[in-house]
Amino acid sequence: MGFFQERNSLALKTTLQADALRELSENFDQHLKEQLAAQKNAWQAKEDAYHAEIQNLREEKEEVICRYEEEIASADISTAVKISGLLAELEQEKQEKQELLEKTAVRLDERSRMIESVMSRIGVDVKVGKKSTANSGGPFIAIDEKYSESLLNRSDKYIKTIRKMPLGYPMRGRITSGFGRRSDPINSRPAFHAGIDLKGRIGQNIKATADGIVTHSSYDKNGFGNFVILRHGNGYETVFGHMSKRLVKKGERIQRGQVVGLMGNTGRSTGPHLHYEVRYKGEPINPKKYLSVAKLSFTVPE
């Protein structure tokens, strides 16, 4: 009886343990399924988030690409406009430069002809071209920089030459004694006058008629009194005599129009005047043609 009771008790326990084990197994499977489902949902959510992020990046990339393409297109248009503007400015500058060259060439040519006329008038052997369009023709050739440069060089050469030539009057005054033979004003004997005498007032400014260097600034009581001699180059010299005061020293460089002394009555003189003399290669020449240049009038186009 005890055995059967023990047996029944064990069978009951076995049944209870089997039920408990089956329930535990069912709960474990259910819990495992729930955990797997939850993990799967979490993984799916992450995957969806990744896909959404990738899509956002793609959209941002496409937006950036579109924006860059628009900026590049806009930059190309802007660059093209700038290049077009620069080309237009360059063409305008080129045209203005050509007009300036032509205008400058005309002025240089006119000035060269003007200087050639002066040099021809005083006896320098130069050919003066005449500007004429009658009975002429041929292909048009625009003035270029090389031609303008040649005109400029010619003009500069003429200007350097003419600045060393004694042109015009050294002072305002009336000629009281000309160049050449005359009766000496002191002893009335026939004599040769190597220059001209210009009457003026004591203290009047006496100016250089060309650029040069002072070779003499001295006093000669039996001759020119206070006198100055300038050497101008190209064989020219000028002499200023009978001054009351000398304002330059030997070796000093002088420019045309600079005051070299003051009118006076020193040395062998009968009254206030300037003895003005022009020498060429050491010999006195008649200053008349050099003085007459001051009366010439030229109009140079601007």
Side-chain angles (χ1 to χ4, degrees), residues 205-219:
N205 287 340
I206 298 170
K207 300 178 181 180
T209 52
D211 295 356
I213 298 176
V214 179
T215 58
H216 296 79
S217 180
S218 185
Y219 181 81

Side-chain angles (χ1 to χ4, degrees), residues 46-196:
K46 286 183 178 181
E47 184 178 0
D48 293 341
Y50 289 151
H51 284 303
E53 186 175 358
I54 291 173
Q55 183 64 27
N56 290 335
L57 289 174
R58 286 177 179 174
E59 292 177 355
E60 289 179 3
K61 180 180 178 181
E62 291 178 357
E63 183 180 353
V64 170
I65 291 173
C66 290
R67 187 169 67 250
Y68 283 164
E69 288 178 349
E70 291 176 357
E71 291 179 357
I72 290 172
S74 176
D76 289 342
I77 295 173
S78 177
T79 302
V81 171
K82 288 181 179 179
I83 292 174
S84 178
L86 289 173
L87 289 175
E89 290 178 4
L90 183 62
E91 184 63 27
Q92 179 67 22
E93 183 179 351
K94 183 178 178 181
Q95 184 176 354
E96 291 176 356
K97 185 177 181 181
Q98 179 64 29
E99 292 176 356
L100 180 61
L101 283 173
E102 293 176 359
K103 186 177 181 180
T104 302
V106 170
R107 292 178 63 187
L108 289 174
D109 189 56
E110 289 297 327
R111 289 186 178 185
S112 296
R113 293 176 188 276
M114 180 182 70
I115 295 172
E116 287 173 353
S117 297
V118 172
M119 296 170 70
S120 177
R121 185 182 182 93
I122 61 179
V124 179
D125 186 18
V126 293
K127 294 182 178 180
V128 182
K130 294 183 178 180
K131 191 174 181 180
S132 174
T133 57
N135 300 330
S136 62
F140 169 75
I141 301 176
I143 294 174
D144 57 11
E145 293 185 12
K146 188 174 181 180
Y147 177 70
S148 295
E149 185 177 355
S150 67
L151 284 175
L152 181 61
N153 291 334
R154 187 179 72 173
S155 181
D156 285 344
K157 182 178 180 181
Y158 285 164
I159 289 173
K160 289 178 181 178
T161 300
I162 207 167
R163 287 189 68 88
K164 297 179 180 179
M165 300 183 70
L167 304 176
Y169 283 77
M171 52 160 283
R172 290 185 178 182
R174 180 172 59 87
I175 298 177
T176 56
S177 182
F179 177 86
R181 291 184 178 274
R182 70 172 182 176
S183 177
D184 186 83
I186 295 178
N187 59 28
S188 299
R189 295 170 57 184
F192 178 80
H193 192 210
I196 61 170

Side-chain angles (χ1 to χ4, degrees), residues 12-32:
L12 180 59
K13 286 181 180 182
T14 301
T15 301
L16 292 173
Q17 288 178 353
D19 291 339
L21 182 62
R22 184 174 59 255
E23 184 179 358
L24 181 63
S25 178
E26 290 176 355
N27 291 336
F28 178 78
D29 289 341
Q30 182 65 30
H31 182 68
L32 182 60

Side-chain angles (χ1 to χ4, degrees), residues 35-45:
Q35 285 185 342
L36 289 175
Q39 187 67 35
K40 183 178 180 181
N41 291 334
W43 287 345
Q44 185 65 42

